């Protein structure tokens, strides 16, 4: 394992809006001019990167740098610019494209080994971004990806889309509904032909495991790891098991 020694706050900009995040670097080996593999980890709906921050040192300790960030308008406690009621899966996809394009320019990042990770809606967003920018993504890791967003939008909102609706106490805007209905996500993700790891709990009451089972059949090269007793959002030992699966997957694919 590498000795984690440094984190760095970074701000990117998309169309005048600031995207705030934190990069964890594994500086315990490789020297001052080392280039490190990178995992870009995207949070779920209404959340923020601090909810995932404990994974940064874990990945860095395995020699993998980790960038966590807040989507614009991504949640009530987001450090990034933007209004939650103007956020949608498309605005988050655009944010992730910006992050991916900019962070791979860094001298300490190995652009040959960049992985996208995402939980729930962040998994959905990561999957679509990877399909749209496959040359930049070495592998894809999805934790309980919310590929049922379109189906849920249809059930909750109907057609045509209302001006806004509530989702677990969060006030969703009209654009969220429109973009959720517009993107044919299962057709879209099929464009990513590289390796995919999906991790899903068998007690997830928000995103059924069947969603990930369907995705595995659609991808050209995908594996599903089921965490027994795991819910939507891994806790306790489940979180470290998911991290272990993710690290093992990335190390297997890395270009040396």
């Amino acid at each position: 394992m590498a000795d984690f020694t440094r984190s760095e706050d970074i701000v990117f900009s998309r169309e005048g809006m600031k995207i705030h995040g934190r990069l964890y670097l594994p500086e315990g080996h490789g020297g001052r001019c080392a280039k490190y593999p990178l995992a870009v980890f995207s949070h779920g709906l209404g959340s923020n990167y601090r909810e995932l921050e404990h994974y940064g040192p874990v990945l860095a300790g395995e020699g993998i740098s980790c960038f966590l960030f807040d989507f614009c308008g991504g949640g009530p406690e987001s450090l990034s610019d933007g209004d939650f009621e103007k956020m949608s899966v498309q605005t988050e996809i655009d944010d992730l494209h910006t992050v991916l394009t900019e962070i791979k320019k860094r001298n300490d990042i190995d652009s040959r080994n960049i992985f996208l990770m995402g939980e729930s809606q962040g998994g959905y967003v990561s999957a679509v971004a990877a399909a749209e920018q496959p040359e930049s993504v070495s592998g894809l890791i999805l934790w309980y990806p919310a590929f049922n967003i379109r189906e849920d939008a249809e059930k909750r909102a109907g057609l045509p889309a209302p001006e806004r609706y509530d989702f677990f106490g969060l006030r969703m805007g009209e654009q969220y509904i429109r973009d959720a209905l517009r993107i044919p996500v299962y057709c879209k993700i099929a464009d990513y032909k590289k390796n995919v790891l999906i991790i899903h709990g068998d007690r997830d009451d928000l995103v059924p495991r069947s969603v990930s089972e369907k995705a595995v059949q659609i991808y050209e090269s995908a594996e599903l790891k089921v965490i027994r007793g795991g819910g939507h959002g891994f806790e306790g030992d489940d979180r470290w098991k998911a991290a272990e699966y993710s690290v093992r997957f990335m190390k297997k694919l890395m270009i040396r």
Side-chain angles (χ1 to χ4, degrees):
M1 293 179 64
D3 295 324
F4 163 70
T5 57
R6 182 163 70 93
S7 67
E8 178 182 341
D9 291 331
I10 299 175
V11 180
F12 295 125
S13 179
R14 178 179 68 81
E15 298 178 354
M17 291 192 294
K18 293 180 180 179
I19 302 171
H20 287 260
R22 178 166 294 170
L23 176 66
Y24 289 85
L25 290 163
E27 293 193 319
H29 63 238
R32 293 177 60 86
C33 297
K35 289 180 176 289
Y36 301 106
L38 171 70
V40 178
F41 202 167
S42 296
H43 67 74
L45 174 67
S47 187
N48 59 77
Y49 80 77
R50 273 84 65 213
E51 298 294 326
L52 300 173
E53 200 164 11
H54 45 280
Y55 294 112
V58 172
L59 268 62
E62 295 289 344
I64 303 168
S65 56
C66 179
F67 185 65
L68 301 130
F69 68 100
D70 286 351
F71 286 109
C72 289
E77 298 181 13
S78 175
L79 298 180
S80 297
D81 293 343
D83 184 339
F84 185 75
E85 289 193 29
K86 294 180 181 178
M87 175 276 302
S88 75
V89 286
Q90 185 61 60
T91 66
E92 292 198 350
I93 291 165
D94 294 342
D95 288 345
L96 184 51
H97 278 310
T98 296
V99 167
L100 186 55
T101 298
E102 294 302 317
I103 202 165
K104 69 181 181 181
K105 297 176 183 177
R106 289 179 59 102
N107 292 331
D108 50 6
I109 296 300
D110 184 354
S111 61
R112 304 171 305 163
N113 291 307
I114 295 180
F115 301 87
L116 293 187
M117 297 177 64
E119 59 150 7
S120 194
Q121 180 167 295
Y124 173 115
V125 169
S126 296
V128 174
E132 293 180 344
Q133 204 176 152
E135 70 285 352
S136 298
V137 182
S138 301
L140 183 61
I141 303 165
L142 309 174
W143 293 13
Y144 39 91
F147 291 140
N148 58 335
I149 284 177
R150 179 174 179 172
E151 178 184 348
D152 184 75
E154 290 172 345
K155 289 179 179 178
R156 291 176 178 274
L159 292 171
E163 183 177 349
R164 56 177 59 86
Y165 79 117
D166 290 331
F167 182 76
F168 285 91
L170 299 172
R171 194 77 162 169
M172 314 299 292
E174 177 183 7
Q175 195 59 47
Y176 187 90
I177 308 297
R178 293 192 185 283
D179 285 345
L181 295 172
R182 178 180 59 81
I183 299 175
V185 65
Y186 284 115
C187 293
K188 190 77 171 178
I189 65 174
D191 290 337
Y192 187 72
K193 306 298 184 182
K194 299 179 186 178
N195 291 285
V196 181
L197 173 65
I198 304 178
I199 308 173
H200 212 123
D202 64 359
R203 293 187 179 178
D204 192 326
D205 57 0
L206 283 181
V207 179
R209 186 176 62 179
S210 59
V211 167
S212 289
E213 292 171 340
K214 180 177 180 179
V216 166
Q217 297 303 312
I218 289 171
Y219 277 120
E220 188 168 294
S221 179
E223 177 184 7
L224 173 62
K225 292 283 192 181
V226 176
I227 294 185
R228 302 299 174 187
H232 193 78
F234 298 135
E235 300 290 341
D237 290 342
D238 292 345
R239 64 171 58 174
W240 308 124
K241 188 179 296 183
E244 180 183 351
Y245 288 149
S246 301
V247 167
R248 191 183 306 162
F249 173 81
M250 287 185 277
K251 286 187 173 181
K252 183 178 179 180
L253 295 178
M254 283 179 195
I255 299 172
R256 306 294 178 178

